[in-house]
Amino acid sequence: MNFSSMIDNIITVFKTFRFVDLVDIVVIAFIVYSLFKLVRDTRAEQLVKGIVILLIAYLVSNFLNMLMMASLLKLLFEFGVVLIVIIFQPEIRNALEQLGRKNIRNINLFNRVSKSDEWILAEKKAISDVAEVAEVFSRQKTGALIVFENDTKLSDIASTGVEINADTSTALLGNLFFNKAPLHDGAVIISNGIVKSAGCILPLTSRNEDVDMHLGTRHRASLGMSEVSDAVIVVVSEETGTISIAHNNNLTSDYTRETLIQKLEQELIPKKDKRNFFRKFAGRKENEDE
């Protein structure tokens, strides 16, 4: 093939190239990138290396006409999809949960910005009560684990504890985490500004291999909860009295009452209420018309 024919072929390809083909390429590239990102720096990376080695062995056995090895590897690859789902189950679940949370935030925007005034007041009161009691616990070195439900519903976690369904208060939270109380070792779930359940069992972290070995069970449980949901978890250390927050698989510490309120409101309260904006705009238009 000479140079001119090569140019002609390239021009022909470009003439038949459609916009949908570009979209197709971008989507496939994104999927491949997401898969690489999923397995990078996890145990799945080692499993992918093992699959690549088996694939190379299959190609070599075919090339060398090693019938028995080729047959066994072919049989293995025929059931490969099922094996991959089983082996990568934690990573696939994590990826789907993250995708679902992104869809909730990016597509169902009104779920985050059209909260009623009553809901916002109840949530702010719950945040204030938690911050106040966390400050007291910090001074007294009383351990606490409080989960604020966000977009991901936590009914399955709440069912592991005792149903409360009561308005938040410093007295209630203080009694629940009193060190001789029967529910003090579990977590409290706060949903829509009320204490939904107490004494709940949270999943311990299983993906974060860089967790400080000095962290206790409460902190590991808070990280585990942040791995499987978008909840915001407040932790008070029984040993040091340090107030921490776990969110999006990240643990930050050394909060005061004021900074804790600021952080919780930032993560839990909608930035602005678009519905109220449109109401004001409509009311202004009505006044102008009059």
Side-chain angles (χ1 to χ4, degrees), residues 2-150:
N2 55 35
F3 182 76
S4 60
S5 61
M6 186 183 299
I7 295 297
D8 291 339
N9 289 336
I10 294 173
I11 293 173
T12 303
V13 169
F14 273 106
K15 283 182 178 179
T16 58
F17 193 78
R18 303 169 300 166
F19 177 75
V20 70
D21 296 325
L22 177 62
V23 174
D24 192 19
I25 292 171
V26 171
V27 170
I28 294 299
F30 176 75
I31 292 173
V32 172
Y33 168 76
S34 299
L35 289 174
F36 275 109
K37 189 177 179 181
L38 176 65
V39 302
R40 187 183 60 189
D41 298 328
T42 65
R43 291 174 298 175
E45 183 179 11
Q46 306 303 320
L47 296 174
V48 169
K49 290 178 181 178
I51 292 173
V52 171
I53 292 173
L54 289 177
L55 181 60
I56 293 172
Y58 174 70
L59 294 175
V60 171
S61 61
N62 265 335
F63 180 75
L64 298 177
N65 202 23
M66 301 169 66
L67 299 180
M68 185 174 292
M69 179 177 288
S71 299
L72 287 174
L73 290 173
K74 183 179 179 181
L75 184 64
L76 178 65
F77 286 128
E78 284 178 354
F79 296 97
V81 175
V82 177
L83 290 174
I84 287 173
V85 170
I86 294 172
I87 293 171
F88 294 121
Q89 185 270 335
E91 286 78 11
I92 292 173
R93 177 173 177 173
N94 183 37
L96 292 176
E97 286 173 347
Q98 290 180 359
L99 179 63
R101 292 203 292 270
K102 288 177 181 177
N103 284 340
I104 289 173
R105 290 195 185 99
N106 297 332
I107 298 174
N108 192 16
L109 293 175
F110 291 101
N111 190 43
R112 294 285 292 169
V113 298
S114 63
K115 300 293 188 181
S116 67
D117 294 337
E118 292 77 12
W119 182 92
I120 293 175
L121 288 174
E123 195 77 356
K124 284 188 174 181
K125 180 183 181 299
I127 290 171
S128 179
D129 290 339
V130 168
E132 187 172 342
V133 80
E135 185 180 46
V136 175
F137 289 164
S138 178
R139 290 198 302 266
Q140 298 175 348
K141 292 188 177 180
T142 299
L145 186 57
I146 303 171
V147 179
F148 282 90
E149 184 182 71
N150 211 341

Side-chain angles (χ1 to χ4, degrees), residues 156-175:
D156 54 335
I157 300 296
S159 64
T160 64
V162 176
E163 187 176 351
I164 304 293
N165 287 329
D167 293 335
T168 61
S169 68
T170 54
L172 174 60
L173 294 170
N175 285 327

